[in-house]
Amino acid sequence: MRISLEDAVAKLRQGEIVAIPTETVYGLAADASNDIALQKIFATKQRPADHPLIVHISDINRVADWAECFPEVAVKLAKAFWPGPLTLILPAKNHVSRVVRGGESTIALRVPNHPMTLALLEFSGLSVAAPSANLFTQLSPTTAEHVEAGLGESVAVLDGGACKVGIESTIVSVTAEGHWQLLRPGMISEDDIIRIAGKPQPQNIMGSDKTLAEEAKPKAPGQHALHYSPRTPLFLFKDKIMLIQECEALTQAGFKCAALLIGKGKQPNCNVVQLPNKPVEVAERLYSALHELDAMKVDRLLVELPDNTPKWAAVLDRLNRAGHRG
Ligand code: TXA
Ligand code: MG
């Protein structure tokens, strides 16, 4: 069900959940200060309660509502990348609900870069918790259609078009002492972070730093097998030749395949989605391509991996979590 910005604000104020567009993926939003509303996110996504949520805020001045401290290195990162696809994990204020933090002592914050959602946050004065608007472990949505296909037609969606970045934000945790750690790669690369924050500290530090690193670890996203997965079994290939051979073998054995290819070259004898050999464009279209391939209802999805170089780190991370190596 598509709804207007005004209706989205009204629903959020009433403690209802609404799917909202961001530049990365669609989020399933609820008022971050309303525990009953937050419970609806966990129930709808079928997400375990110990998985903390990202709180989306309208601007940098709202950090103080949630975080106990805002170390200088985090301020620099926020100023460099917000609004944008960066989530900062900071020590939480005591009053912050355990529901939104999933029992952690920290809180995840980000200012999303989507005009509709920024307008919603500014106009409503709310901060909204929003995990990706998909069932737990399934493919993330990058269009309103994906949200409806995954969560059902009855979910309220604010349609903001196709997401431009296309994969989830980069997550960086920063301790009270200003030490940082990359928890999830995204299109803001580790090198981009290092340029602003300097090199990360070694993690064998005593005191609260050690605690945070240890606490953050089990909660780092996608540690579960089959995160970001399509329903069709997905297999990964280092090059087109191996993928084409596997496609031939599977076809002979009576299995139907479809393939995702990166860049031009020889093609397998099956349905193909081909993406240009460019990280930014592959990221933007990755989940759409996987949703499209999944909808073909074949027996196997065969995916060509891009080069194992830093500029492909975020795309490789998502593909490696979605698939099995061929
Ligand atoms: O781009 C994004 O980040 C999207 C859009 C909607 O903003 N959101 C998103 O949310 O990807 P979600 O819930 O699918 O992934 C957020 C991840 C969770 O897997 C959780 O483990 C991690 O962030 N996270 C949140 N709070 C944390 C905390 N306090 N400590 C460690 N990890 C945390
Ligand atoms: Mg997710």
Side-chain angles (χ1 to χ4, degrees):
M1 178 185 40
R2 311 286 165 94
I3 61 169
S4 66
L5 189 62
E6 290 72 23
D7 287 348
V9 169
K11 277 188 181 294
L12 290 168
R13 284 191 176 138
Q14 287 159 15
E16 297 299 322
I17 52 174
V18 177
I20 56 165
T22 81
E23 78 281 32
T24 58
V25 301
Y26 274 72
L28 191 61
D31 176 354
S33 63
N34 179 341
D35 280 0
I36 294 166
L38 294 171
Q39 305 282 12
K40 294 180 187 170
I41 296 179
F42 287 93
T44 303
K45 273 186 69 89
Q46 296 161 24
R47 174 173 168 127
D50 65 347
H51 275 241
L53 305 174
I54 297 173
V55 176
H56 297 67
I57 53 177
S58 58
D59 61 76
I60 193 169
N61 298 319
R62 304 300 290 266
V63 169
D65 296 352
W66 303 93
E68 180 61 33
C69 59
F70 198 5
E72 186 165 345
V73 67
V75 174
K76 281 192 193 159
L77 288 169
K79 285 188 172 159
F81 298 116
W82 283 355
L86 174 72
T87 295
L88 289 173
I89 292 182
L90 299 171
K93 279 215 158 104
N94 272 338
H95 74 80
V96 176
S97 134
R98 297 185 70 76
V99 181
V100 73
R101 323 188 230 151
E104 298 293 307
S105 59
T106 50
I107 185 74
L109 298 168
R110 123 176 161 86
V111 180
N113 190 15
H114 190 289
M116 265 188 189
T117 290
L118 281 175
L120 177 145
L121 295 172
E122 278 160 22
F123 176 65
S124 68
L126 293 173
S127 297
V128 300
S132 49
N134 54 306
L135 292 180
F136 186 59
T137 77
Q138 300 282 305
L139 277 180
S140 297
T142 55
T143 64
E145 288 79 13
H146 295 159
V147 176
E148 289 163 347
L151 295 180
E153 295 286 332
S154 62
V155 67
V157 187
L158 180 62
D159 186 355
C163 303
K164 291 270 183 276
V165 174
I167 61 178
E168 300 83 352
S169 60
T170 305
I171 302 185
V172 172
S173 71
V174 181
T175 65
E177 292 77 10
H179 298 139
W180 68 269
Q181 190 185 3
L182 182 72
L183 294 186
R184 178 171 73 184
M187 294 311 284
I188 293 174
S189 70
E190 187 160 22
D191 278 349
D192 295 333
I193 303 290
I194 289 171
R195 257 194 297 283
I196 304 296
K199 291 234 185 260
Q201 308 285 322
Q203 287 304 315
N204 58 346
I205 309 152
M206 298 301 287
S208 59
D209 274 357
K210 188 168 173 237
T211 317
L212 180 63
E214 277 170 1
E215 270 182 13
K217 255 205 176 122
K219 297 287 177 281
Q223 300 244 327
H224 287 255
L226 293 181
H227 221 87
Y228 314 113
S229 294
R231 289 188 171 83
T232 318
L234 182 153
F235 294 84
L236 303 170
F237 296 87
K238 283 225 165 80
D239 60 56
K240 285 194 175 67
I241 304 300
M242 284 157 75
L243 186 152
I244 289 166
Q245 283 169 355
E246 181 68 10
C247 181
E248 275 169 21
L250 284 167
T251 307
Q252 274 179 14
F255 290 102
K256 283 203 190 96
C257 313
L260 178 66
L261 302 179
I262 310 280
K264 295 203 173 79
K266 262 190 96 183
Q267 298 227 343
N269 192 14
C270 67
N271 280 331
V272 160
V273 174
Q274 190 176 36
L275 299 178
N277 192 14
K278 292 183 181 143
V280 169
E281 289 177 43
V282 172
E284 182 181 350
R285 291 164 58 187
L286 182 69
Y287 288 130
S288 267
L290 292 174
H291 279 285
E292 186 184 333
L293 289 162
D294 210 14
M296 291 177 189
K297 303 233 180 298
V298 294
D299 303 304
R300 298 273 192 282
L301 299 183
L302 312 180
V303 173
E304 179 185 4
L305 289 168
D307 297 340
N308 191 3
T309 55
K311 63 181 184 173
W312 287 103
V315 167
L316 279 168
D317 173 76
R318 301 309 186 278
L319 284 176
N320 280 318
R321 293 183 196 289
H324 313 263
R325 205 163 280 274

